[in-house]
Amino acid sequence: MSVMDRDTVAPPEPKPRRRGPGCGNRVFFGLSTGAAAAIVILLGTVALFLLHGSWNALSADSATITTEVDFTQGRSFWGYAGVTVFGTLLISTIALALSVPLAIGISLFISHYAPRRMSQVLGYVIDLLAAIPSVVFGLWGMATLEPLMRPLFRWFSATFTPVLTLISGKPEVVDGERVWTGGLPGFSFLAEHLPWWPLSPEVLTFVPPARNALMGGVILAIMILPIITSLCREVFLRTPRLLEEASLALGATRWEMIRMTVLPFGRSGIASAAMLGLGRALGETMALLMVLSPGLAINFWFLAPGQHSTIASQIALKFPESNGLESEVLIAIGFVLFGLTFLVNFGARAIVNRYSVTKGDR
């Protein structure tokens, strides 16, 4: 290289200095932190309001509750709360048992069986179904669905009640006294002495009108079906395409591919969707208030009206006419529902972590 060439070579440019976080980064960090803190503060204020408004009911003795609060029907606060919690869990469990299998089937059809245009139309219909107000579901269920469900409930009762009678016997009135006859040893004793025994013939004895726990579960199942279906559909669509093609290339049928690839991959998503639907079912008010015939009993009589009531429906039914200790009792069972939803969310998180793909499904 000549002297002239060395002189014409440009010196290396200095490396740019790293700048600290800009104004935009600081603003975004502050906004995101403030939003997260606002959620915690809002949740805390709700919990404090419920605790403050229900403190007198929680600390009152049983005699005060039974004498001053008529709608508890002679129960203490925890007895009244236990009855409403039982009804809430019973009807929500029925809704979950009816909606989850149907939602998984619809989601698999949309994601893996239906043509593209049909799947888009079905997806829009599912999303529109989720936008229907709960009061509309209540009106429709009371005026249209309830008369349609009566023949089905009669058939269900006539078909399966003899099976329970064979297992646990049945009550008969002999000389003015109620006597339990028939049934298998042990089962008949439990059915006779435990009103909540789930194998008693009264469990499936249908009494019209169809404003019972099973009817409430059907309405709730229809209401939470769009939520579970939409989430399951998105989870199934995110199954790696290579896994599906590899399963089919190895000779698996479409159902075998779904059973061995899609469903294991989407277990955590299915659990999350089911728990989200359960959270919606636990707090539903208007639809159940219009469809359900409320009662304060702890049993599994699905087809008899006037047996069960949920926390939300009790609050909506009694709060407008309550005052003093009565309103505090209703706020207290609202606080119990608040804690119940927390337990459901914690359980959902545990289930999601248990079935997460990143923790052992690979």
Side-chain angles (χ1 to χ4, degrees), residues 103-104 107-108 110-111 126-127 224-238 266 268-278:
I104 293 175
S107 304
L108 289 175
I110 293 175
S111 60
I126 292 296
D127 295 337
I224 66 178
L225 182 64
I227 300 174
I228 303 176
T229 303
S230 299
L231 293 177
C232 290
R233 177 190 63 193
E234 296 301 323
V235 170
F236 295 155
L237 288 175
R238 282 171 171 75
S268 61
I270 295 173
S272 301
M275 292 300 104
L276 186 61
L278 179 60

Side-chain angles (χ1 to χ4, degrees), residues 161-239:
T161 299
V163 178
L164 296 182
T165 303
L166 181 64
I167 296 174
S168 300
K170 63 178 180 179
E172 293 183 355
V173 179
V174 179
D175 296 334
E177 296 182 358
R178 187 172 182 265
V179 180
W180 203 272
T181 60
L184 301 177
F187 290 93
S188 59
F189 177 83
L190 293 174
E192 182 179 1
H193 294 87
L194 298 179
W196 52 266
W197 179 245
L199 296 181
S200 174
E202 286 93 343
V203 171
L204 298 181
T205 301
F206 174 63
V207 179
R211 302 185 64 179
N212 45 49
L214 186 57
M215 186 66 192
V218 171
I219 290 294
L220 277 188
I222 297 173
M223 294 182 64
I224 66 178
L225 182 64
I227 300 174
I228 303 176
T229 303
S230 299
L231 293 177
C232 290
R233 177 190 63 193
E234 296 301 323
V235 170
F236 295 155
L237 288 175
R238 282 171 171 75
T239 305

Side-chain angles (χ1 to χ4, degrees), residues 104 108 113 247-248 252-263:
I104 293 175
L108 289 175
Y113 286 95
S247 179
L248 294 174
T253 62
R254 182 175 294 185
W255 163 241
E256 291 174 342
M257 179 271 294
I258 291 174
R259 181 171 57 86
M260 295 184 296
T261 303
V262 178
L263 292 180

Side-chain angles (χ1 to χ4, degrees), residues 259-315:
R259 181 171 57 86
M260 295 184 296
T261 303
V262 178
L263 292 180
F265 181 83
R267 281 187 299 182
S268 61
I270 295 173
S272 301
M275 292 300 104
L276 186 61
L278 179 60
R280 168 73 188 277
L282 289 175
E284 181 52 44
T285 305
M286 290 307 301
L288 288 181
L289 185 62
M290 302 175 71
V291 171
L292 193 65
S293 177
L296 297 177
I298 297 180
N299 55 49
F300 293 93
W301 297 7
F302 303 109
L303 299 178
Q307 300 296 317
H308 310 101
S309 185
T310 64
I311 295 177
S313 63
Q314 278 289 305
I315 294 174

Side-chain angles (χ1 to χ4, degrees), residues 87-98:
T88 302
L89 293 178
L90 177 64
I91 297 175
S92 300
T93 303
I94 294 173
L96 208 63
L98 294 175

Side-chain angles (χ1 to χ4, degrees), residues 1-343:
M1 180 181 295
S2 64
V3 177
M4 185 177 296
D5 293 334
R6 288 197 301 267
D7 295 339
T8 57
V9 175
E13 297 181 358
K15 295 181 179 181
R17 297 180 179 179
R18 292 185 178 180
R19 298 181 179 179
C23 180
N25 291 334
R26 290 194 297 269
V27 171
F28 179 76
F29 176 77
L31 291 176
S32 59
T33 304
I39 292 296
V40 176
I41 294 173
L42 181 62
L43 191 63
T45 55
V46 172
L48 289 176
F49 161 74
L50 292 174
L51 183 60
H52 179 267
S54 61
W55 181 254
N56 291 332
L58 294 174
S59 59
D61 55 3
S62 301
T64 303
I65 299 295
T66 55
T67 55
E68 297 186 13
V69 183
D70 296 333
F71 53 77
T72 61
Q73 298 181 6
R75 295 176 174 84
S76 64
F77 168 74
W78 292 110
Y80 175 67
V83 171
T84 55
V85 168
F86 177 82
T88 302
L89 293 178
L90 177 64
I91 297 175
S92 300
T93 303
I94 294 173
L96 208 63
L98 294 175
S99 61
V100 170
L102 186 59
I104 293 175
I106 296 173
S107 304
L108 289 175
F109 178 78
I110 293 175
S111 60
H112 288 82
Y113 286 95
R116 187 178 185 86
R117 290 186 177 180
M118 182 182 293
S119 64
Q120 291 178 351
V121 172
L122 289 177
Y124 293 148
V125 171
I126 292 296
D127 295 337
L128 288 175
L129 190 62
I132 299 178
S134 60
V135 65
V136 176
F137 276 109
L139 290 171
W140 172 73
M142 181 177 59
T144 304
L145 190 60
E146 189 270 336
L148 295 177
M149 296 297 290
R150 288 188 189 183
L152 179 61
F153 287 172
R154 288 194 181 96
W155 172 86
F156 189 77
S157 177
T159 303
F160 294 100
T161 299
V163 178
L164 296 182
T165 303
L166 181 64
I167 296 174
S168 300
K170 63 178 180 179
E172 293 183 355
V173 179
V174 179
D175 296 334
E177 296 182 358
R178 187 172 182 265
V179 180
W180 203 272
T181 60
L184 301 177
F187 290 93
S188 59
F189 177 83
L190 293 174
E192 182 179 1
H193 294 87
L194 298 179
W196 52 266
W197 179 245
L199 296 181
S200 174
E202 286 93 343
V203 171
L204 298 181
T205 301
F206 174 63
V207 179
R211 302 185 64 179
N212 45 49
L214 186 57
M215 186 66 192
V218 171
I219 290 294
L220 277 188
I222 297 173
M223 294 182 64
I224 66 178
L225 182 64
I227 300 174
I228 303 176
T229 303
S230 299
L231 293 177
C232 290
R233 177 190 63 193
E234 296 301 323
V235 170
F236 295 155
L237 288 175
R238 282 171 171 75
T239 305
R241 188 68 177 177
L242 291 177
L243 295 179
E244 297 181 0
E245 293 176 352
S247 179
L248 294 174
L250 291 174
T253 62
R254 182 175 294 185
W255 163 241
E256 291 174 342
M257 179 271 294
I258 291 174
R259 181 171 57 86
M260 295 184 296
T261 303
V262 178
L263 292 180
F265 181 83
R267 281 187 299 182
S268 61
I270 295 173
S272 301
M275 292 300 104
L276 186 61
L278 179 60
R280 168 73 188 277
L282 289 175
E284 181 52 44
T285 305
M286 290 307 301
L288 288 181
L289 185 62
M290 302 175 71
V291 171
L292 193 65
S293 177
L296 297 177
I298 297 180
N299 55 49
F300 293 93
W301 297 7
F302 303 109
L303 299 178
Q307 300 296 317
H308 310 101
S309 185
T310 64
I311 295 177
S313 63
Q314 278 289 305
I315 294 174
L317 184 65
K318 305 296 184 181
F319 198 82
E321 300 177 356
S322 64
N323 53 59
L325 187 60
E326 293 180 346
S327 61
E328 293 175 350
V329 167
L330 295 175
I331 294 175
I333 63 172
F335 185 64
V336 172
L337 180 61
F338 184 79
L340 184 61
T341 55
F342 258 94
L343 293 178

